[in-house]
Amino acid sequence: MAGIWIIAKMSLLENSRKQVFHVMCLLMLAVIAGSTLLTIFTDGVQTKILKDLCMTCLLFGGAAMAIALGATGVPNDIESRTIHPLLARPLTRVQYLIGKFLGTFITVSLGVAAMTVVFGALIMMYQHSIDSSLGLAVLFTLLEAAIIAAVAITISTFASPAITTVLTFMIYLAGTIKIGYIGELIEKSQAGLSKGLYLLIYHALPNLECFNLKSALVHQEIIPGLYLSQVAVYGICYIAFTLVVGASYFASREV
Amino acid sequence: MSHPIETENLRKVYKLGKRKGDRIAVDSLNIAVPEGAVFGFLGPNGAGKTTTIKMLLDFVHPTSGSATIFGNPTSAASSRRLIGYLPEQPYFHKFLRPIEVVSMHASLAGVPRKEVRQHSISALERSGIAEYSDTPIGKLSKGLTQRVGIAQAIVGDPKLLIMDEPTSGLDPIGRRHARDLILQLRDEGRTIFLSSHLLSEVESTCDIIAVLKRGKLVAMGKPDDVQAKGKQVTIQVDTLTDETKASLKFAKVGIEEEAGAIRLCVAPEMLYWVIRMLEKSGAKILRLQTERESLEEAFLRLAA
Ligand SMILES: Nc1ncnc2c1ncn2[C@@H]1O[C@H](COP(=O)(O)OP(=O)(O)OP(=O)(O)O)[C@@H](O)[C@H]1O
Ligand SMILES: [Mg+2]
């Protein structure tokens, strides 16, 4: 257990010095600059558009960071052989991989938290109040980022950073449109091989759309607690399953 | 008590793909490293030294055979509890500072949290890198990075140090320092397993050496045992008649003539006979010298 935390801490330290937060800063500046254009809309529309913009940036920023850091962390350690002194310690490969995941996740969380503070202040300026669902929306964005990071890290145990980035991005896209598009494909296709294939893809892909609470935030709807807890359990199970797959392959590979 | 390192028919074959076939990196290696010794693992480039070390640390898996560390199979993470490892050309995350890397290794090695800092500082001092402990590793030179590697290897009181070319990249002062450090570590009761090509160094630090050639063990023992026993005697003479030359040659005495100097290489048991021959022929003996194979010559003889 201690080993996992040490790796996570080191990976956080390393990531935070890699200037990854600069991306976040750029995104924040873009949103702040963009928000000045909102004055052309009426008050109600203004806050709606602003919240939409902020949530999109949070989602996008979190996912981009998760992919970029998750896809490079492990392969870079292997490529540069910085992994050797670590694995020469009484640390299992599984602990190392989970530590890497946690380090990546904490880095992403810090970035998202910083963005949230800035965006919260911005919304406060326009709306003179903060929606209670903002916190929830951010938490579920983080859960989504964690899934993406777990997927990226798992793929990166056997693929290069470039391939991992592309694959994870494709899974991210597919996971976002999964219900609508692939669900439709399943309904349309006849029973048989292709239906089986679609079903397999459907269930293997993470359902990322369910973590997106943007419309609820924008339209100030109440989200049922049961739904939220189901989604949270689904997310955590998906992460655990993905990491188990990654760790069991990583434990047997040569470094 | 089990040995710090013991291997049994350890073998590693790298698959290079269908067309290129396989490469046997290590073949039927049997070694036992006794506790408290400095064990030198020698061999030319590509002999399989690093591959052996990687198998000991479970980075790569043996194709067949097995190895144990203090009696534990290398596949168990617990076998690495007592190890400090210095990689060949160590690399560390370049944004981290030496003190951070060494502290992290101290924690991983199980040093209690309160003592981590003190242990790390003392390891950095012992490796001669204390003044750079806050410089990002990416900004350190090769030799300085090597010293960070040494510091992280010795932190946390390891009973066994596995060092892959500990003196590579170090200047003469650093090399001397590293050699002294290795001897100090041995005097503290630790076992040291080091690979090297620097023979003069190995000769002066190692208690036991093993020579590897294309993955196979070709010699093992005390440095004195590995060096050829038969000391040779070289006799330099002023002249040599053709007749004497012929009979010396017949007795398989080596004759070297260069730049007017004539040297005879004689096995000790032939010495009296040769001297009598020389006396009879009236040759004058200019110099008489016993020579002993250096470790370098032994290495070249064994590894060539
Ligand atoms: N990952 C690998 N894949 C294929 N072949 C490898 C791999 N690693 C090492 N080899 C081969 O195995 C052999 C032994 O290599 P190894 O690195 O163990 O040598 P070494 O004794 O450490 O040499 P050096 O003194 O140059 O460090 C070499 O022929 C090398 O090319
Ligand atoms: Mg080597």
Side-chain angles (χ1 to χ4, degrees):
Chain A
M1 211 41 215
I4 296 179
W5 276 115
I6 296 168
I7 299 293
K9 241 167 50 190
M10 185 207 59
S11 148
L12 171 65
L13 205 59
E14 164 83 3
N15 284 337
S16 62
R17 288 188 192 155
K18 258 195 220 156
Q19 313 188 334
V20 286
F21 292 127
H22 291 37
V23 183
M24 293 282 159
C25 294
L26 280 179
L27 270 174
M28 286 193 273
L29 284 178
V31 173
I32 294 170
S35 69
T36 58
L37 301 175
L38 290 173
T39 43
I40 55 168
F41 297 105
T42 58
D43 276 1
V45 180
Q46 247 180 34
T47 51
K48 280 198 173 122
I49 295 182
L50 181 66
K51 283 186 214 165
D52 194 312
L53 193 65
C54 289
M55 279 316 291
T56 309
C57 271
L58 276 178
L59 267 176
F60 179 75
M65 250 176 115
I67 294 180
L69 296 176
T72 52
V74 177
N76 279 357
D77 273 9
I78 295 176
E79 178 78 8
S80 65
R81 290 182 278 147
T82 48
I83 196 174
H84 284 165
L86 300 176
L87 292 185
R89 295 288 167 193
L91 185 77
T92 63
R93 303 270 182 103
V94 177
Q95 286 173 323
Y96 167 82
L97 205 72
I98 296 177
K100 274 300 213 195
F101 166 75
L102 276 182
T104 306
F105 177 64
I106 296 171
T107 314
V108 174
S109 305
L110 287 181
V112 168
M115 282 169 91
T116 306
V117 169
V118 171
F119 292 162
L122 210 58
I123 293 175
M124 190 77 186
M125 260 172 55
Y126 280 82
Q127 196 182 244
H128 305 296
S129 70
I130 286 272
D131 312 72
S132 55
S133 53
L134 179 67
L136 263 183
V138 171
L139 272 184
F140 278 81
T141 305
L142 278 181
L143 198 54
E144 178 173 348
I147 292 183
I148 297 166
V151 169
I153 285 176
T154 293
I155 296 176
S156 80
T157 58
F158 56 84
S160 72
I163 291 178
T164 307
T165 305
V166 173
L167 272 179
T168 313
F169 187 65
M170 279 161 55
I171 290 177
Y172 170 60
L173 283 185
T176 310
I177 58 164
K178 152 170 167 165
I179 300 292
Y181 184 68
I182 303 180
E184 203 170 289
L185 275 180
I186 291 175
E187 268 169 31
K188 273 194 202 151
S189 64
Q190 256 65 103
L193 203 62
S194 60
K195 180 149 184 161
L197 189 67
Y198 287 141
L199 271 173
L200 188 71
I201 294 176
Y202 185 84
H203 289 294
L205 280 175
N207 181 355
L208 296 178
E209 201 42 44
C210 64
F211 298 99
N212 190 350
L213 306 183
K214 185 171 75 184
S215 60
L217 176 70
V218 172
H219 303 294
Q220 297 182 317
E221 292 156 5
I222 306 287
I223 313 159
L226 182 65
Y227 173 79
L228 288 180
S229 46
Q230 278 173 347
V231 168
V233 169
Y234 167 73
I236 290 167
C237 290
Y238 196 91
I239 292 170
F241 176 75
T242 311
L243 285 179
V244 165
V245 171
S248 47
Y249 174 74
F250 189 62
S252 66
R253 78 163 278 185
E254 306 202 323
V255 292
Chain B
M1 182 69 201
S2 26
H3 289 294
I5 298 178
E6 207 165 345
T7 70
E8 204 186 312
N9 289 323
L10 199 61
R11 182 179 158 90
K12 178 68 190 177
V13 181
Y14 284 112
K15 302 244 178 291
L16 298 176
K18 282 227 169 59
R19 222 175 289 159
K20 290 186 203 137
D22 296 345
R23 166 155 294 139
I24 301 171
V26 176
D27 199 2
S28 328
L29 183 67
N30 286 297
I31 52 173
V33 177
E35 185 143 19
V38 180
F39 189 101
F41 201 43
L42 304 183
N45 291 130
K49 305 181 292 293
T50 300
T51 304
T52 305
I53 291 177
K54 283 183 172 177
M55 286 192 279
L56 294 177
L57 296 167
D58 200 36
F59 298 163
V60 302
H61 311 300
T63 309
S64 62
S66 63
T68 55
I69 305 284
F70 290 108
N72 295 311
T74 49
S75 55
S78 60
S79 72
R80 299 189 289 276
R81 227 178 43 239
L82 301 173
I83 296 183
Y85 166 59
L86 170 69
E88 179 177 37
Q89 296 166 1
Y91 284 101
F92 301 99
H93 290 289
K94 61 180 179 185
F95 295 106
L96 299 183
R97 305 170 204 283
I99 182 76
E100 291 163 349
V101 168
V102 176
S103 305
M104 177 184 73
H105 278 276
S107 308
L108 284 172
V111 173
R113 184 182 282 202
K114 278 187 200 148
E115 296 165 28
V116 163
R117 193 169 168 82
Q118 180 216 329
H119 267 83
S120 310
I121 290 173
S122 104
L124 288 163
E125 273 166 3
R126 282 189 92 174
S127 332
I129 185 90
E131 61 179 301
Y132 296 94
S133 43
D134 286 321
T135 312
I137 291 180
K139 294 193 177 140
L140 294 182
S141 71
K142 182 171 146 201
L144 294 175
T145 311
Q146 180 79 12
R147 291 178 196 215
V148 178
I150 295 175
Q152 63 80 28
I154 63 175
V155 82
D157 209 17
K159 292 278 166 289
L160 167 66
L161 279 140
I162 297 182
M163 308 177 117
D164 203 346
E165 296 181 29
T167 53
S168 90
L170 296 182
D171 61 20
I173 303 168
R175 247 183 247 169
R176 163 65 68 85
H177 185 105
R179 205 180 69 197
D180 293 345
L181 181 62
I182 288 170
L183 292 176
Q184 266 176 35
L185 291 166
R186 181 195 60 187
D187 293 342
E188 291 165 12
R190 304 175 212 278
T191 309
I192 292 135
F193 181 88
L194 60 89
S195 86
S196 183
H197 332 265
L198 288 171
L199 297 147
S200 53
E201 230 146 67
V202 171
E203 205 165 10
S204 57
T205 42
C206 293
D207 305 313
I208 305 177
I209 58 175
V211 184
L212 207 62
K213 175 185 171 185
R214 299 199 188 182
K216 281 207 158 81
L217 197 64
V218 289
M220 181 156 75
K222 296 202 178 91
D224 284 346
D225 298 341
V226 172
Q227 284 154 263
K229 284 264 172 42
K231 299 171 184 176
Q232 280 210 326
V233 183
T234 313
I235 305 173
Q236 192 175 339
V237 292
D238 59 346
T239 53
L240 213 54
T241 60
D242 287 346
E243 195 189 337
T244 345
K245 207 187 266 181
S247 43
L248 284 175
K249 268 192 180 148
F250 186 72
K252 299 222 159 47
V253 172
I255 303 174
E256 291 171 14
E257 288 179 77
E258 60 178 78
I262 306 170
R263 267 189 297 265
L264 310 175
C265 303
V266 186
E269 59 273 18
M270 297 284 289
L271 196 57
Y272 285 119
W273 182 82
V274 172
I275 289 180
R276 246 179 284 133
M277 286 287 295
L278 293 173
E279 192 181 20
K280 241 193 281 172
S281 75
K284 216 191 277 168
I285 295 179
L286 302 175
R287 229 156 83 105
L288 199 142
Q289 199 177 1
T290 57
E291 264 178 30
R292 171 166 196 265
E293 190 186 41
S294 72
L295 192 58
E296 186 163 337
E297 282 161 334
F299 180 80
L300 291 172
R301 171 171 58 82
L302 291 164

